[in-house]
Amino acid sequence: MFVLSHVSNGQGPHHHGQQQKNPAAGHGQGRDHHRDDEDKGRGHDDHDDHKGNGKPKDDDHSPPHVKGCPQLETIARNITWTRVAADPTLAPKLLRLHFHDCFVRGCDASILLDSTASNSAEKDAIPNQTVAGYEVIDEIKARLEVVCPSSVSCADIVALAARDAMIQFKRPMWPVSIGRKDGRVSSSSEASANLPSPFSNFTTLLQDFKNKGLDLQDLVALSGAHTIGVGHCGLISDRLFNFTGVGDTDPSIARVYASLLRAKCSNLGANNNVVDPAIEMDPGSGSSFDTHYYTALRQNQGLFESDAALLTDQRSARMSRVFETNRELFFVAFGQSMVKMGAIGGVGAGEIRKNCHVIN
């Protein structure tokens, strides 16, 4: 049906963390209990992350640290864990920040740059106006600039924060390569043109992914990120209330689910209401990173048209079903696709910004 590719940790830039084939459920502790490790320059936990799982440790290794900043991984992890433990909604936000960065000009932190009087930056494009988590990146960057100034790019921090946001697993879910450069160009029009749309059909979605060097398996696996987080009524209002222009509802949505969505979104825009109600993208399981998204999909409860589109192609529908029924396989595939996405190269000359919001 499909084959999981081998992810090599010996290619390209340095890798931090490791891919786990049997992640254990649970909740990570957000307190900064590894500060001593940071001060000693140790960049990797070595106590009990990999004990007691009954599996061979043939994938275990201690990756090399980024030159000049051996504390990088500990600092990034501790700050991210602390922030996400205090506000679990940051986990999907940090994942989304990384996705939206990589799909426009590659993984170069161009999404972090602020607009100027002469330029509208990526973060101000309509698809990015609900992107969040910038404060976590800023906190990590500020700490790194004290400990190892001008050594770690903002792009690498975004990639690490996305990985470390998965604190429920208490361990790295995929390796993160280190060595990205920060881009010097950020354009809202490029963001609007390159980001996959929640309104896209399957053909368009797959082409969007292929344009970035990703494939069908990456599309289905990365769509699984919708197992956590929320969407908003504004993105599905036409699907609910005016799908073909005659006041109808998309017939591909399960009837009971459509009724629930219409009830939640019925006041959107009424009485000058400026609040766009939030809706779990994975109904009933929106706070746990698991395979329930694919269950909801099979039950015709995909929130966006782009979710439902996965069922319109036999290959992606079949793959979705495999991920639904094999949790461990999904975790491995998701990690591999995150590695591929995180390797999308930046465009043009790069730098290591001192402040993630402005070029040097």
Side-chain angles (χ1 to χ4, degrees), residues 112-355:
L112 304 182
L113 289 172
D114 291 336
S115 293
T116 65
S118 60
N119 179 66
S120 177
E122 287 176 31
K123 65 169 57 174
D124 290 322
I126 290 177
N128 284 335
Q129 289 178 1
T130 54
V131 170
Y134 299 109
E135 68 278 10
V136 180
I137 309 304
D138 292 341
E139 184 176 346
I140 297 171
K141 180 63 172 176
R143 177 63 182 159
L144 290 173
E145 285 301 305
V146 170
V147 175
C148 42
S150 301
S151 297
V152 182
S153 69
C154 300
D156 281 343
I157 295 171
V158 170
L160 284 167
R163 193 270 310 275
D164 293 338
M166 302 292 98
I167 65 171
Q168 75 180 72
F169 299 107
K170 298 183 181 179
R171 66 189 69 195
M173 290 291 288
W174 59 87
V176 173
S177 62
I178 300 301
R180 298 170 185 81
K181 296 295 186 181
D182 296 323
R184 298 176 56 85
V185 176
S186 183
S187 164
S188 61
S189 61
E190 287 190 8
S192 297
N194 283 275
L195 289 170
S197 168
F199 311 111
S200 291
N201 60 29
F202 177 82
T203 301
T204 301
L205 280 175
L206 185 57
Q207 189 59 55
D208 287 341
F209 274 64
K210 286 183 175 180
N211 290 343
K212 305 303 176 184
L214 304 175
D215 58 25
L216 174 67
Q217 182 173 307
D218 300 318
L219 168 59
V220 179
L222 293 176
S223 293
H226 285 183
T227 190
I228 53 174
V230 299
H232 292 273
C233 287
L235 292 174
I236 59 171
S237 59
D238 282 349
R239 193 176 184 216
L240 296 176
F241 302 110
N242 199 30
F243 186 59
T244 64
V246 293
D248 55 338
T249 299
D250 182 350
S252 71
I253 309 176
R255 188 169 299 178
V256 172
Y257 184 55
S259 296
L260 290 173
L261 292 177
R262 284 195 298 266
K264 288 184 178 182
C265 298
S266 60
N267 292 323
L268 180 65
N271 301 318
N272 296 317
N273 181 16
V274 296
V275 177
D276 190 350
I279 302 173
E280 286 185 321
M281 291 186 288
D282 183 359
S285 184
S287 60
S288 175
F289 194 89
D290 53 32
T291 61
H292 188 266
Y293 164 80
Y294 299 105
T295 302
L297 204 61
R298 178 174 52 80
Q299 296 171 344
N300 295 315
Q301 295 180 4
L303 184 62
F304 301 120
E305 290 175 62
S306 56
D307 294 317
L310 297 182
L311 298 182
T312 64
D313 178 85
Q314 288 186 351
R315 297 164 300 165
S316 61
R318 193 162 56 241
M319 198 176 295
S320 297
R321 178 60 176 160
V322 171
F323 288 157
E324 178 190 354
T325 57
N326 192 327
R327 183 172 180 261
E328 184 172 316
L329 186 66
F330 165 61
F331 289 151
V332 173
F334 185 82
Q336 290 182 342
S337 293
M338 288 296 293
V339 170
K340 285 180 65 177
M341 186 189 75
I344 299 174
V347 177
E351 62 185 11
I352 294 179
R353 294 183 209 137
K354 298 181 182 299
N355 178 336

